[in-house]
Amino acid sequence: MTKARGSSAGGSLRIVAGSLRGSRLAVPDRPGLRPTPDRVRETLFNWLAPVITGARCLDLYAGTGALGIEALSRGAGECVFVERDRELCRLLQDNLARLKVSTARVITDDAFAFLGAPAATPFDLVFLDPPFDAGLWNEAALRLERGGWLSDAAWIYVEATPQAGFAAPPAWSLHREGRAGLVHYALYRRSPADPLS
């Protein structure tokens, strides 16, 4: 996803495991673009291994689409990629076509505008990795929760800086977390609200 910390040198990144293992995704040389590192993706998907098969995924701030494509490579049923940058969307569509991935949809839109539309089918797994300088984590999490975008037992991956002050909605419980350099990453599990409360 696009971040404001540093810049990518461009080039490519690799899919770590699954049916697309070793495939390369083009990464443009653009200020602020910092895809999730291989090591972090490997850790995350090891955590998700028991639940990834058949999951319906949302890569909300897609950037290169590395998280969503990694999910599809490891058996996710489908993935919707949302990215407002048109150039990144074109590159993502090109990568998906080259990899012959047919269970994906790329939407060129602002994340909040996307979340403002009526939710159709809820997602089982959401990647929440917005630009580091925009402070979008808490509002995006609330919109996901309140808008009906999450299945009753959805998993939500959040990537942020330790200083971001992310506050998960009450229905989310922390499952696992880690740190890589200046990045804090965490996996949450959503619990359905108590019908008696």
Side-chain angles (χ1 to χ4, degrees):
M1 83 73 358
T2 335
K3 306 222 174 36
R5 183 178 66 79
S7 63
S8 168
S12 66
L13 59 85
R14 69 182 180 92
I15 299 302
V16 177
S19 62
L20 301 173
R21 180 180 180 178
S23 299
R24 292 278 174 178
L25 304 181
V27 178
D29 184 2
R30 302 195 61 177
L33 184 66
R34 186 203 52 78
T36 301
D38 289 5
R39 181 166 61 90
V40 174
R41 278 186 285 122
E42 184 168 16
T43 298
L44 168 63
F45 285 98
N46 285 342
W47 295 345
L48 289 169
V51 298
I52 192 68
T53 302
R56 185 167 191 262
C57 305
L58 172 63
D59 196 344
L60 187 56
Y61 295 88
T64 62
L67 289 168
I69 294 174
E70 189 79 48
L72 292 169
S73 178
R74 294 174 184 247
E78 63 177 307
C79 187
V80 174
F81 298 86
V82 178
E83 172 56 54
R84 69 180 181 180
D85 185 307
R86 292 184 180 278
E87 181 183 336
L88 289 176
C89 283
R90 284 193 295 269
L91 181 61
L92 176 52
Q93 289 168 329
D94 289 347
N95 279 326
L96 291 167
R98 178 175 51 80
L99 297 173
K100 297 179 172 56
V101 174
S102 60
T103 53
R105 185 160 56 107
V106 179
I107 297 175
T108 306
D109 203 354
D110 176 78
F112 285 177
F114 173 79
L115 295 176
T121 305
F123 291 96
D124 306 308
L125 173 58
V126 174
F127 303 107
L128 179 54
D129 183 16
F132 274 10
D133 66 339
L136 302 173
W137 294 275
N138 291 340
E139 182 63 24
L142 288 175
R143 293 186 186 212
L144 284 165
E145 182 63 32
R146 294 173 178 168
W149 293 99
L150 303 173
S151 65
D152 283 348
W155 296 87
I156 308 97
Y157 170 74
V158 178
E159 188 172 316
T161 64
Q163 299 79 26
F166 176 67
W172 298 11
S173 59
L174 181 64
H175 177 68
R176 301 285 294 273
E177 63 183 331
R179 187 159 174 177
L182 299 177
V183 174
H184 176 259
Y185 55 97
L187 182 64
Y188 294 86
R189 179 77 184 275
R190 182 177 186 270
S191 301
D194 184 343
L196 300 179
S197 63

